[in-house]
Each structure stands twice: as C-alpha cells, then as structure tokens.
C-alpha cells in the first residue's frame, strides 16, 4: 500500500498531460487483461487477413524476401576466417554448442546449466521466481528478497541463442535450427502474451522483436522450421509482440532508452511484416518517435543524455538499426538524423581507450540490441565502425581488429573490405561540452573526465554522482578507474552505493553526496545539486588541460565550491591533478582515487606511493604540505553487471580543518625529466596566454 501511495504522489507531480496519458495507459492495461487472450485466439483465423496474405506459405515466402539490415550469407568459411580469424569462428561455434545445451553465462552468473525444460520465470542466480500471471499484477521490484528480475528478462531476450544462428549460417547444420526452434516453442508455451514477468517491462518485448526477426531471416528455409504449425505460432507470437509494444509504449514527460527501444522495435516490427494496416502504422509511428527523440536524447556533440557510456552504446544501436532497416527497404533517413548518428560515433571513438576498453561510466547492464561479435562486453570499437560504414564516412570507423566479427555479421564481406581498405588514424583529445565529457589522449594515454549535467535531463536516470571525476590510462596502463554499477533492484543498498559520491574519483565534502539521494528506493532519481561549470579546456600538441567546478556543496551551511584542474603531459605520460576549494569554515575533505584492478600500492623510501602493474611502476606524490593524510583502502569495482572485483583506492583526507588545496602528480617511475618543472612551466605558459 505504501508503495502504491508513493507512486500516486510521484505521479501527481507530473505535468497534467502526462497524468492524463498515464491514467489512460493504466486503464488500457486493465482492459488488456481480457483483450490479450481473446486477441491471441482471434489471430488464429485473422492473422493472414490482417497481413493481406492468401496463405501461410505465401506469407512466409513474402517475409523471407524482404530485405533485412544484417548479413545473412552465404558464408564461405575460408573467407570468414580470413576476415575475422579462425579464433572468432571457433568461439562462435563453442557458444552455439553451449546454447543448444541450454548453458548460459548471463549478468555475472558464470556458466549455468538450465536443463532441458527452461524455467523462464526464475532468477536462476538465486532460485527465486515470479508466478505466471497477468503482467500488471506482478511486482518485480522486491527489496525484501535478493531476486533480480533482470535475470529472467535477459534470458528471455534470447540473445544467448544468436551464436546458434551464426553457426547455422556457417555450417547449414540443421541441428542449430532445431535447437532454436525448440527453445522458441518452450518460450511461447510458458509466456503467453502479457502473461508472465517477461512482459512486465515493454522494453523486454521490444528487444525480443529484434532477435526474433533475425532468427526468422536466418532459419526461414531450414528443414526443421518447415512445420506449418510452428511457422504460424512463431509469426503470431512476433505479431503480438509488436502489438503489445505499440499498446504499452513507455512514454513519460522525459523519455529515455526504454521509449527509444519501444519505438525502434515498432519500426523493426512494422518493416518486418510490411503489408497491412498495423505494420504500416507501426513503422511510421515508431520512426516519427525516433526522429523526435534523437535531438531530445542526444546532445549536438553526440553524447547520450543519460550520462552513461554503456547506455550511450545501447541507445546508439537503438537509433542505428531502424535507420539501417529503412535504408535496406529503400526508405529515407533524414540528414539531421544521420548527422546525430555520426556525432554519437565520434563520441564512441573518443571514449574508447587504446586497448579497446571503455570507462565504466554511469550505469551498465550489458544491454545490446543484436550482439554478433566475440569481443569483450566493454569493447565498443565496433560501434563507430558500423555507423561509419552505414553512413559512408570512413573517418568515423575505428582501426580495431576486435571489431571484425561485428562488422562482418552486419555489413558482410563487402563492408569489411571497405573498412579494411581505409582505416583512419586514432582520434586525438576532444571536448564534448554539451554532454560534459572531456577526453585527453595520445597513442598510450587516455584520460576521461566528467564535467557534465546529471543524467536524464537532471533527474538522475543512469547517471551517477561523478561530476569532476575521471579515469586514467597512462603509458598504456589503466591506472585510475570508475567503480561501475554492479546491480539494480537486486540490492537497493548496492545500487545506491555504486552510484554514490564515495565510489567515484571526485572530492567529497563532509561526507555529503554531490547530488542528494531522494529516497533509498528511488533508484533512478537524484536531486540535481552538482550543476557543473567548465572553466578551461585546451588540447595542444604536447599537453591537454581541463579545469571545472560544480555547485553540489553550495547548499552546505558553510558553502563550498570544489574546483579541479587536470593536466596531461603527453611526452612524459604524466598526470597532474589539483583540487581547490572556494569557501570558509571547518570541513571534512576526502579525495579518492580508485585504482584499476591489478594495481598494487607500496611506499618508497622517499615516502612517495608506488603503483605497480606487473613490471611497470608509477610514482604518486604531492609536494605541498597542506595537511592531507593518505590511506590505502580496500574498494570494489564492477566491470559488468553482476560482477564485482576487489581493488585498491587511495584516499587523501583532511578532517575538521579549514579548506586547503591538494596537488597530485602521477608519472612513470622511469621518467627521466623533472615532471614538476614541466607541469608548472606549462601551467605558467597557459596562464600567460590567457592573460594576453
């Protein structure tokens, strides 16, 4: 009851038009309780008529002839190995065999045997389930038990079955087609439309539209897919998915990736079915929504407004696939839409580190639209390459062999050829002032800095308390990391811990959050306190400089403005961080640096800190005696959803004292130059130029 009252109170704070839309949506949800079963039964005799097909066989062949925006063969194994390497094929086949054995590794579960009869309604990590009932009656947000609804949701996306489809295209072995068919049959029996937890979020139905459409085009002519009964059940289920998404689209006053996923799925579902009043309306309305949302959700500099690197990847894919589908079917894609896609690719190029990994920035749940490659989940280099090839702009492509699998399965050998013949140079340092991210980089250095707005238009969303925080790779070694996201509803405490100020590399004053939490159960909302300001940004041939501040602690009884300067010396691979504080009074100041996994800490005879990564070592020192004490503490980082690792963190603290600055230097131990002199000389020259 308290949860219901809270929802009502939150709803009443929305604009009137949103309240009316929400009430209409709630009414429709209740009427759907009776409609959905009748609709499924009605389609038994009406599906062909609604799709304007004289027979099931005619419909099946017509759908198979429609273009799909991914490469579907024919596959020459020798050519595939030449383009991607034999390891890629071997990995795909191993994953395909695991899928046929119903063995999955999802959301940190580790390899898990699901058995012959898959339980689609259970979090198999904990064994806790949700009963099969009408989706609106299911409370999947359960703080009193450690269940994670994302587990059955991820399982039901069926993306873990996609390697079986790729294996079929490589080998034409019908056992892969039969294995996928059997899983789909199981899923349809256990998950009638709207009748399980796997329908309780429209985005889940939307993402299944992508995978099921691809499955159809892969297996449509497979011997084990020739049964007329299965063919009808499959098409009816997919049709009901698109109808459900259309009738339960996740619309609000400020929309994010859920609304984008729903709209993208309407485009894909509408273009897949093609003929008929419903499909035509779906694809047109979905495309109108995407064109409206693109400038709302993506800043002009290409940064997704949810302030999360993993969600930037997901949203870029959600905008990309419908555009490619429209192009494949001869429909236009507006120039403004194409340019914003290009901007998203430029940001992806910039945030990808030299080793292919990405900053663990903001929330992450490993979400993809159609995952094809065998690269690590945190390797995004395929994304700008796909966008660049689609737009015909080689400057957007990334020169990463790890992207080869994704590129092949989307663009085919011809697209691979275009990419391999014109790989561009790696990008340099760049500013993304609209989104508020700043990237300093060389071939061996990468510093990613946040001085941007709170995610989801200042509401929080998938953004964290990370203003002025940074990650750093120096001389090819990941040294300073963000802590990631770890879990969502499975643990409110962990959810809030990993998005808190203390889990980010930014100064904390008096133990307060830079953006206040609203309530412990408001898992995607924050007060927007830390309004940022960029004070300086320079990217020269031998250095890059950032300076910014935020207002998150202006609300304190004795207000404080944190101000941070970061300078990267390209030649010395050295980093300088200076934290200053404008304000008065006695405060508790804490300045953490979370070290990447595997970085060990020791103390030199000169009382400097030594960071060791294998045989490579870095010095950390702070020459000004301003009263800060340093400690080495245990901490945690989550490289992907449901996975947590032990790391070290350094914390400089000055407790119950007047505010004072702190200057830190980080440089390779074998640097043969006077780092301090180089940095101070550079800062002096910058100041002189500013004065001039």
């Amino acid at each position: 009851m308290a949860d219901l009252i809270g929802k009502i109170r939150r709803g009443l704070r929305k604009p009137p038009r949103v309240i009316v839309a929400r009430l209409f949506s709630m009414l429709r949800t209740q009427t759907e309780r009776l409609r959905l079963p009748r609709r499924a039964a009605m389609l038994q005799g009406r599906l062909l008529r609604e799709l304007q097909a004289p027979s099931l066989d005619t419909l099946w062949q017509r759908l198979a002839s429609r273009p799909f925006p991914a490469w579907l063969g024919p596959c020459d194994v020798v050519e595939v190995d030449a383009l991607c390497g034999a390891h890629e094929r071997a990995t795909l086949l191993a994953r395909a065999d695991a899928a046929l054995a119903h063995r999955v590794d999802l959301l940190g579960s580790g390899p898990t045997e699901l058995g012959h009869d898959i339980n689609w309604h259970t979090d198999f990590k904990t064994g806790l389930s949700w009963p099969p009932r009408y989706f609106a009656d299911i409370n999947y947000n359960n703080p009193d038990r450690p269940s994670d609804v994302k587990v059955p949701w991820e399982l039901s996306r069926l993306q873990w079955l996609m390697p079986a489809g790729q294996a079929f295209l490589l080998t034409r072995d019908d056992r892969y087609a039969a294995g996928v068919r059997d899983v789909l049959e199981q899923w349809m029996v256990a998950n009638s439309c709207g009748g399980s937890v796997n329908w309780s979020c429209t985005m889940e139905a939307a993402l299944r539209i992508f995978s099921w459409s691809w499955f159809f085009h892969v297996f449509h002519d497979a011997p084990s897919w020739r049964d007329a009964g299965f063919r009808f059940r499959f098409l009816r289920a997919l049709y009901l998915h698109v109808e459900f998404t259309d009738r339960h689209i996740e619309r609000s006053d400020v929309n994010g990736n859920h609304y984008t996923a729903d709209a993208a799925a309407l485009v894909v579902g509408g273009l897949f079915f093609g003929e008929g009043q419903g499909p035509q309306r779906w694809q047109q309305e979905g495309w109108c929504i995407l064109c409206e949302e693109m400038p709302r959700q993506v800043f002009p500099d290409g940064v997704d407004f949810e302030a999360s690197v993993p969600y930037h990847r997901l949203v870029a894919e959600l905008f990309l696939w419908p555009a490619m589908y429209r192009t494949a079917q001869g429909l236009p894609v507006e120039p403004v839409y194409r340019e914003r896609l290009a901007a998203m690719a430029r940001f992806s190029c910039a945030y990808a580190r030299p080793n292919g990994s990405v900053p663990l920035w903001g929330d992450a749940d490993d979400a993809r639209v159609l995952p094809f490659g065998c690269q690590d989940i945190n390797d995004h280099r395929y994304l700008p390459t796909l966008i660049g090839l689609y737009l015909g702009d080689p400057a957007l492509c990334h020169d990463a062999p790890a992207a080869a699998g994704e590129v092949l399965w989307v663009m085919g050998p011809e697209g691979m050829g275009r990419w391999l013949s014109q790989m561009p140079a790696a990008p340099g340092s760049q500013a993304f002032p609209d989104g508020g991210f700043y990237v300093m980089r060389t071939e061996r250095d990468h510093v990613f800095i946040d001085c941007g707005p709170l995610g989801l238009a200042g509401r929080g969303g998938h953004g964290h308390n990370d203003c002025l925080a940074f990650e750093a790779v120096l001389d090819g070694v990941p040294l300073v990391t963000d802590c990631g996201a770890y879990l969502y509803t499975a643990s409110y405490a962990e959810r809030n811990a990993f998005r808190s100020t203390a889990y980010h590399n930014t100064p904390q004053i008096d133990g307060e959050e830079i953006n206040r939490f609203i309530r412990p159960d408001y898992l995607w909302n924050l007060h927007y306190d830390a309004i940022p300001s960029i004070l300086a940004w320079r990217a020269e041939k031998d250095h890059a400089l950032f300076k910014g501040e935020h207002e998150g602690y202006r609300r304190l009884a004795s207000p404080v403005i944190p101000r941070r300067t970061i300078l990267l010396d390209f030649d010395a691979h050295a980093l300088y961080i200076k934290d200053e504080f404008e304000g008065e009074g006695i405060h508790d100041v804490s300045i953490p640096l979370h070290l990447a996994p595997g970085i060990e800490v020791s103390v030199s005879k000169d009382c400097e800190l030594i960071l060791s990564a294998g045989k490579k070592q870095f010095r950390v020192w702070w020459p000004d005696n301003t009263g800060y004490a340093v400690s080495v503490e245990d901490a945690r980082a989550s490289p992907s959803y449901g996975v947590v690792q032990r790391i070290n963190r350094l914390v400089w603290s000055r407790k119950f004292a007047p505010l004072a600055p702190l200057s830190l230097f980080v440089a390779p131990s074998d640097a043969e130059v006077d780092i301090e002199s180089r940095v101070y000389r550079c800062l002096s020259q910058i100041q002189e130029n500013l004065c001039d």
Side-chain angles (χ1 to χ4, degrees):
M1 179 61 70
D3 184 60
L4 176 61
I5 293 173
K7 289 181 178 179
I8 293 173
R9 286 175 176 170
R10 293 197 299 273
L12 291 176
R13 289 196 291 267
K14 302 288 186 181
R17 61 178 177 81
V18 175
I19 295 174
V20 171
R22 189 68 55 83
L23 290 173
F24 179 77
S25 176
M26 292 171 62
L27 178 62
R28 167 177 276 183
T29 297
Q30 293 307 316
T31 60
E32 291 279 282
R33 185 187 302 274
L34 299 176
R35 177 188 175 275
L36 282 174
R38 290 202 301 264
R39 178 60 174 159
M42 186 185 304
L43 283 178
Q44 189 76 25
R46 295 187 56 177
L47 181 62
L48 295 179
R49 187 160 63 252
E50 292 195 13
L51 291 174
Q52 301 177 3
S55 68
L56 177 61
D57 185 63
T58 300
L59 174 61
W60 192 266
Q61 298 306 319
R62 189 183 77 196
L63 296 178
S65 68
R66 294 180 64 80
F68 188 80
W71 181 56
L72 299 165
C75 294
D76 183 318
V77 173
V78 174
E79 185 177 28
V80 170
D81 285 356
L83 292 171
C84 299
H87 174 73
E88 180 92 7
R89 176 167 57 89
T91 302
L92 277 175
L93 292 176
R95 291 182 179 181
D97 289 340
L100 294 192
H102 299 178
R103 185 170 58 253
V104 300
D105 186 353
L106 303 174
L107 303 178
S109 69
T112 302
E113 302 284 347
L114 300 175
H116 179 271
D117 297 321
I118 298 173
N119 188 334
W120 298 100
H121 311 142
T122 295
D123 169 7
F124 58 74
K125 293 170 66 174
T126 64
L128 299 172
S129 300
W130 291 263
R133 60 175 60 153
Y134 185 58
F135 74 97
D137 296 337
I138 297 175
N139 180 15
Y140 58 80
N141 192 357
N142 311 120
D144 56 336
R145 65 178 193 169
S147 60
D148 191 345
V149 73
K150 286 193 66 62
V151 175
W153 285 356
E154 189 73 23
L155 182 66
S156 288
R157 290 180 184 182
L158 297 182
Q159 294 174 352
W160 55 275
L161 271 180
M162 289 179 58
Q166 293 168 283
F168 177 78
L169 292 174
L170 284 169
T171 66
R172 304 302 297 184
D173 187 339
D174 193 57
R175 68 188 181 95
Y176 295 113
V180 173
R181 178 205 62 205
D182 291 346
V183 171
L184 289 169
E185 288 274 35
Q186 280 195 31
W187 194 93
M188 288 186 286
V189 169
N191 296 274
S192 61
C193 186
S196 76
V197 72
N198 293 308
W199 297 91
S200 53
C201 172
T202 306
M203 183 178 182
E204 297 307 311
L207 288 176
R208 288 195 292 271
I209 292 169
F210 285 89
S211 56
W212 286 44
S213 299
W214 183 77
F215 286 144
F216 171 86
H217 282 282
V218 170
F219 296 119
H220 69 89
D221 61 347
S224 55
W225 279 51
R226 290 174 183 166
D227 177 72
F230 169 73
R231 286 183 170 187
F232 179 82
R233 290 189 296 275
F234 175 87
L235 292 180
R236 180 179 61 177
L238 182 50
Y239 194 86
L240 286 169
H241 269 78
V242 191
E243 273 196 341
F244 183 91
T245 301
D246 177 46
R247 295 177 69 84
H248 299 281
I249 194 165
E250 297 163 279
R251 182 183 287 108
S252 187
D253 55 326
V254 176
N255 297 296
N257 67 87
H258 282 240
Y259 190 50
T260 306
D262 300 346
L266 290 179
V267 175
V268 170
L271 293 176
F272 173 85
F273 284 110
E275 305 297 329
Q277 184 177 359
Q280 287 296 310
R281 182 177 59 80
W282 295 333
Q283 65 95 358
Q284 291 169 8
E285 290 187 3
W287 186 246
C288 286
I289 291 171
L290 292 178
C291 291
E292 291 171 354
E293 289 298 311
M294 174 75 94
R296 293 173 181 168
Q297 296 188 29
V298 182
F299 292 111
D301 58 13
V303 179
D304 175 61
F305 82 146
E306 296 200 60
S308 158
V309 162
Y311 278 88
H312 176 90
R313 184 256 299 272
L314 173 63
V315 171
E317 290 184 356
L318 289 170
F319 281 122
L320 173 63
W321 277 101
M324 292 196 301
Y325 212 155
R326 283 178 62 85
T327 298
Q329 297 205 0
L331 297 172
V333 175
E334 292 77 357
V336 65
Y337 192 102
R338 296 168 66 90
E339 174 49 40
R340 200 59 60 97
L341 265 180
M344 296 189 85
R346 285 191 285 271
F347 181 53
S348 295
C349 278
Y351 68 60
R353 297 164 173 157
N355 69 354
S357 62
V358 301
L360 303 178
W361 219 259
D363 279 348
D365 68 352
D366 301 351
R368 296 285 311 278
V369 174
L370 285 173
F372 289 112
C374 295
Q375 74 281 354
D376 185 86
I377 189 65
N378 289 324
D379 189 337
H380 296 193
R381 289 174 292 180
Y382 69 89
L383 177 61
T385 300
L386 291 182
I387 295 175
L389 289 173
Y390 166 63
L391 297 177
D393 186 349
L396 300 175
C397 299
H398 207 293
D399 60 344
E406 293 276 353
V407 175
L408 175 68
W409 289 101
V410 179
M411 296 296 178
E414 181 182 350
M416 286 281 290
R418 295 199 310 272
W419 171 48
L420 295 172
S421 66
Q422 49 192 8
M423 283 189 178
S429 300
Q430 295 181 69
F432 298 87
D434 302 312
F437 292 104
Y438 299 82
V439 180
M440 305 171 170
R441 70 181 300 158
T442 69
E443 291 183 355
R444 297 188 58 77
D445 305 302
H446 190 278
V447 180
F448 183 86
I449 307 166
D450 182 354
C451 190
L454 186 60
L456 201 68
R459 302 199 175 183
H462 290 293
H464 289 186
N465 273 343
D466 48 21
C467 193
L468 298 186
F470 70 96
E471 288 197 15
V473 174
L474 296 181
D475 200 15
V477 177
L479 277 185
V480 180
T481 184
D482 192 85
C483 294
Y486 188 31
L487 295 172
Y488 290 173
T489 60
S491 170
Y492 285 21
E494 294 285 35
R495 164 67 178 157
N496 289 326
F498 273 81
R499 65 183 184 137
S500 70
T501 305
Y503 274 63
H504 297 87
N505 303 309
T506 188
Q508 187 170 25
I509 307 297
D510 297 336
E512 295 284 339
E513 298 290 342
I514 62 174
N515 297 291
R516 289 165 294 159
F517 287 82
I518 299 174
R519 269 182 16 191
D521 59 332
Y522 280 33
L523 302 184
W524 283 272
N525 297 98
L526 295 166
H527 288 288
Y528 189 11
D529 299 314
I531 299 173
S533 298
I534 179 69
L535 304 177
W537 167 257
R538 296 171 62 91
E540 306 294 344
K541 64 178 182 179
D542 60 350
H543 74 273
L545 173 98
F546 161 87
K547 189 172 185 178
E549 64 183 24
H550 70 72
E551 299 184 3
Y553 296 120
R554 188 183 287 276
R555 69 181 190 272
L556 300 181
S558 297
V560 178
I561 301 294
R563 186 171 297 124
R564 170 164 277 183
T565 301
I566 298 177
L567 185 142
L568 175 63
D569 184 316
F570 297 163
D571 297 328
H573 310 293
L575 191 64
Y576 168 77
I577 309 109
K578 183 174 184 179
D579 287 312
E580 304 170 275
F581 306 94
E582 179 184 310
E584 298 179 351
I586 304 300
H587 295 277
D588 183 345
V589 178
S590 176
I591 304 173
L593 286 186
H594 294 84
L595 303 179
I599 303 296
E600 298 298 330
V601 185
S602 59
V603 181
S604 73
K605 62 181 180 180
D606 299 320
C607 295
E608 297 177 347
L609 297 178
I610 302 298
L611 309 183
S612 300
K615 296 182 179 180
K616 190 73 175 178
Q617 292 188 331
F618 294 81
R619 301 164 52 212
V620 181
W621 73 100
W622 50 108
D624 300 324
N625 184 13
T626 52
Y628 282 89
V630 66
S631 59
V632 182
E633 302 176 357
D634 286 335
R636 299 178 299 162
S638 176
S640 62
Y641 189 92
V643 177
V644 68
Q645 299 174 333
R646 178 201 166 273
I647 61 170
N648 291 312
R649 76 168 188 164
L650 310 175
V651 182
W652 285 263
S653 58
R654 199 169 188 271
K655 297 182 177 298
F656 311 116
L659 295 166
L662 174 68
S663 294
L664 295 175
F665 292 85
V666 185
S669 296
D670 57 3
E672 298 179 353
V673 296
D674 185 340
I675 301 296
E676 289 184 41
S677 297
R678 287 173 62 93
V679 168
Y680 289 138
R681 183 166 58 251
C682 183
L683 291 171
S684 177
Q685 292 173 351
I686 292 171
Q687 185 61 40
E688 290 176 2
N689 291 337
L690 291 175
C691 292
D692 292 341

